PDB file of all heavy atoms in Angstrom:
ATOM      1  N   GLU X  58     -41.235   4.553  43.204  1.00 91.00           N
ATOM      2  CA  GLU X  58     -41.679   3.963  44.472  1.00 91.00           C
ATOM      3  C   GLU X  58     -40.655   4.109  45.597  1.00 91.00           C
ATOM      4  O   GLU X  58     -40.923   3.741  46.740  1.00 91.00           O
ATOM      5  CB  GLU X  58     -42.044   2.483  44.279  1.00 91.00           C
ATOM      6  CG  GLU X  58     -40.921   1.606  43.785  1.00 91.00           C
ATOM      7  CD  GLU X  58     -40.812   1.543  42.271  1.00 91.00           C
ATOM      8  OE1 GLU X  58     -41.511   2.282  41.561  1.00 91.00           O
ATOM      9  OE2 GLU X  58     -39.997   0.744  41.796  1.00 91.00           O
ATOM     10  N   TYR X  75     -30.116  43.590  53.799  1.00 95.00           N
ATOM     11  CA  TYR X  75     -29.208  44.156  52.806  1.00 95.00           C
ATOM     12  C   TYR X  75     -28.174  43.123  52.388  1.00 95.00           C
ATOM     13  O   TYR X  75     -28.004  42.089  53.026  1.00 95.00           O
ATOM     14  CB  TYR X  75     -28.492  45.399  53.336  1.00 95.00           C
ATOM     15  CG  TYR X  75     -27.685  45.153  54.594  1.00 95.00           C
ATOM     16  CD1 TYR X  75     -26.348  44.780  54.528  1.00 95.00           C
ATOM     17  CD2 TYR X  75     -28.264  45.296  55.857  1.00 95.00           C
ATOM     18  CE1 TYR X  75     -25.611  44.550  55.683  1.00 95.00           C
ATOM     19  CE2 TYR X  75     -27.543  45.071  57.008  1.00 95.00           C
ATOM     20  CZ  TYR X  75     -26.211  44.694  56.918  1.00 95.00           C
ATOM     21  OH  TYR X  75     -25.492  44.454  58.056  1.00 95.00           O
ATOM     22  N   TYR X  89     -34.770  39.850  66.718  1.00 94.00           N
ATOM     23  CA  TYR X  89     -33.861  40.818  66.091  1.00 94.00           C
ATOM     24  C   TYR X  89     -32.449  40.264  65.885  1.00 94.00           C
ATOM     25  O   TYR X  89     -31.525  41.005  65.598  1.00 94.00           O
ATOM     26  CB  TYR X  89     -33.817  42.135  66.891  1.00 94.00           C
ATOM     27  CG  TYR X  89     -35.188  42.728  67.055  1.00 94.00           C
ATOM     28  CD1 TYR X  89     -35.810  42.734  68.300  1.00 94.00           C
ATOM     29  CD2 TYR X  89     -35.884  43.248  65.976  1.00 94.00           C
ATOM     30  CE1 TYR X  89     -37.090  43.254  68.460  1.00 94.00           C
ATOM     31  CE2 TYR X  89     -37.158  43.763  66.124  1.00 94.00           C
ATOM     32  CZ  TYR X  89     -37.753  43.765  67.373  1.00 94.00           C
ATOM     33  OH  TYR X  89     -39.015  44.278  67.508  1.00 94.00           O
ATOM     34  N   VAL X  92     -28.652  36.894  60.773  1.00 95.00           N
ATOM     35  CA  VAL X  92     -27.883  35.790  60.191  1.00 95.00           C
ATOM     36  C   VAL X  92     -27.469  36.185  58.781  1.00 95.00           C
ATOM     37  O   VAL X  92     -28.106  37.025  58.149  1.00 95.00           O
ATOM     38  CB  VAL X  92     -28.679  34.465  60.156  1.00 95.00           C
ATOM     39  CG1 VAL X  92     -29.012  33.985  61.546  1.00 95.00           C
ATOM     40  CG2 VAL X  92     -29.919  34.581  59.309  1.00 95.00           C
ATOM     41  N   ASP X  97     -24.959  31.352  47.119  1.00 81.00           N
ATOM     42  CA  ASP X  97     -25.171  29.943  46.774  1.00 81.00           C
ATOM     43  C   ASP X  97     -26.318  29.341  47.566  1.00 81.00           C
ATOM     44  O   ASP X  97     -27.109  28.568  47.040  1.00 81.00           O
ATOM     45  CB  ASP X  97     -23.902  29.123  47.018  1.00 81.00           C
ATOM     46  CG  ASP X  97     -22.832  29.373  45.975  1.00 81.00           C
ATOM     47  OD1 ASP X  97     -23.174  29.888  44.885  1.00 81.00           O
ATOM     48  OD2 ASP X  97     -21.664  29.057  46.250  1.00 81.00           O
ATOM     49  N   GLU X 125     -37.437  29.978  52.383  1.00 86.00           N
ATOM     50  CA  GLU X 125     -38.679  29.581  51.726  1.00 86.00           C
ATOM     51  C   GLU X 125     -39.420  30.864  51.421  1.00 86.00           C
ATOM     52  O   GLU X 125     -39.755  31.640  52.315  1.00 86.00           O
ATOM     53  CB  GLU X 125     -39.506  28.683  52.644  1.00 86.00           C
ATOM     54  CG  GLU X 125     -40.785  28.206  52.004  1.00 86.00           C
ATOM     55  CD  GLU X 125     -41.596  27.322  52.938  1.00 86.00           C
ATOM     56  OE1 GLU X 125     -41.056  26.341  53.442  1.00 86.00           O
ATOM     57  OE2 GLU X 125     -42.772  27.657  53.151  1.00 86.00           O
ATOM     58  N   SER X 129     -46.091  34.101  46.087  1.00 92.00           N
ATOM     59  CA  SER X 129     -45.967  35.120  45.048  1.00 92.00           C
ATOM     60  C   SER X 129     -45.401  36.402  45.656  1.00 92.00           C
ATOM     61  O   SER X 129     -45.518  36.624  46.852  1.00 92.00           O
ATOM     62  CB  SER X 129     -47.318  35.400  44.386  1.00 92.00           C
ATOM     63  OG  SER X 129     -48.201  35.989  45.310  1.00 92.00           O
ATOM     64  N   ARG X 131     -44.604  40.795  44.648  1.00 94.00           N
ATOM     65  CA  ARG X 131     -44.901  41.922  43.766  1.00 94.00           C
ATOM     66  C   ARG X 131     -43.608  42.666  43.477  1.00 94.00           C
ATOM     67  O   ARG X 131     -42.906  43.075  44.390  1.00 94.00           O
ATOM     68  CB  ARG X 131     -45.909  42.850  44.426  1.00 94.00           C
ATOM     69  CG  ARG X 131     -47.256  42.198  44.571  1.00 94.00           C
ATOM     70  CD  ARG X 131     -48.249  43.077  45.253  1.00 94.00           C
ATOM     71  NE  ARG X 131     -49.546  42.414  45.270  1.00 94.00           N
ATOM     72  CZ  ARG X 131     -50.662  43.005  45.608  1.00 94.00           C
ATOM     73  NH1 ARG X 131     -50.670  44.272  45.966  1.00 94.00           N
ATOM     74  NH2 ARG X 131     -51.788  42.322  45.587  1.00 94.00           N
ATOM     75  N   THR X 137     -38.861  46.962  29.578  1.00 92.00           N
ATOM     76  CA  THR X 137     -39.585  46.068  28.668  1.00 92.00           C
ATOM     77  C   THR X 137     -39.839  46.794  27.356  1.00 92.00           C
ATOM     78  O   THR X 137     -39.779  48.025  27.298  1.00 92.00           O
ATOM     79  CB  THR X 137     -40.911  45.563  29.284  1.00 92.00           C
ATOM     80  OG1 THR X 137     -41.435  44.515  28.462  1.00 92.00           O
ATOM     81  CG2 THR X 137     -41.936  46.663  29.425  1.00 92.00           C
ATOM     82  N   GLY X 148     -52.351  36.585  23.077  1.00 64.00           N
ATOM     83  CA  GLY X 148     -51.674  36.009  21.926  1.00 64.00           C
ATOM     84  C   GLY X 148     -50.172  35.897  22.044  1.00 64.00           C
ATOM     85  O   GLY X 148     -49.578  34.953  21.559  1.00 64.00           O
ATOM     86  N   GLY X 170     -42.579  50.306  34.412  1.00 94.00           N
ATOM     87  CA  GLY X 170     -43.097  51.057  35.557  1.00 94.00           C
ATOM     88  C   GLY X 170     -44.256  50.367  36.254  1.00 94.00           C
ATOM     89  O   GLY X 170     -44.575  50.700  37.383  1.00 94.00           O
TER      90      GLY X 170
END
Side-chain angles (χ1 to χ4, degrees):
E58 60 272 8
Y75 58 91
Y89 304 110
V92 296
D97 286 341
E125 182 180 306
S129 66
R131 293 178 176 191
T137 191

